[in-house]
Amino acid sequence: MPVYEYMCDSCGDFTELRPMSEYQAPQPCPDCGAMAPRVMLTAPHFSGLSRESRIAHSTNESARHNPMSVDGYKEKQERAKHASNCSCCSGGMKSRSKKNRTATSASGAKSFPSARPWMISH
């Protein structure tokens, strides 16, 4: 529950811990009992975390349901050493053979006979 500030005409300001549903309702002054309206005397306080703490919390939250095993961690570290499309780890594109390379005609025009016929060369 948040803490709200109220101003009593005779006693001054005071704070109360109230539910958010009652944020606009006036509260009785703790000293004299008169109903005091809510006021904003100070700026709201927002707590923040450092970047390192946010990353740690995010990592812990993502690992909560499916923690990484030691072998999985080692594999992830090994994959981090290579580029994102590395053929040795990702199982992605293998190196192209001679027949899949860009074909060039006598006039210098390029074509892709079998690799990617839809791709426009630059």
Side-chain angles (χ1 to χ4, degrees):
M1 280 194 295
V3 175
Y4 294 111
E5 298 173 319
Y6 298 92
M7 178 65 77
C8 177
D9 291 333
S10 59
C11 303
D13 64 294
F14 63 96
T15 58
E16 284 288 324
L17 185 68
R18 303 300 306 158
M20 290 179 76
S21 61
E22 299 177 13
Y23 78 100
Q24 288 183 334
Q27 296 298 314
C29 175
D31 296 330
C32 66
M35 294 304 280
R38 180 175 170 227
V39 293
M40 292 186 198
L41 301 174
T42 58
H45 175 70
F46 296 106
S47 62
L49 295 174
S50 66
R51 181 178 184 276
E52 293 80 16
S53 296
R54 277 195 319 272
I55 291 170
H57 285 283
S58 175
T59 302
N60 288 341
E61 182 67 24
S62 64
R64 185 178 76 187
H65 301 293
N66 188 12
M68 189 181 297
S69 65
V70 172
D71 292 333
Y73 179 76
K74 287 179 183 176
E75 288 175 17
K76 183 178 179 182
Q77 292 298 324
E78 189 62 33
R79 276 185 273 141
K81 294 178 184 176
H82 300 277
S84 61
N85 288 332
C86 177
S87 62
C88 71
C89 328
S90 65
M93 291 180 54
K94 303 292 182 205
S95 62
R96 292 184 179 189
S97 63
K98 186 115 174 133
K99 70 177 183 113
N100 287 338
R101 290 192 180 161
T102 305
T104 307
S105 67
S107 66
K110 296 179 184 178
S111 68
F112 294 92
S114 63
R116 294 184 179 122
W118 64 88
M119 187 176 199
I120 298 174
S121 173
H122 52 89

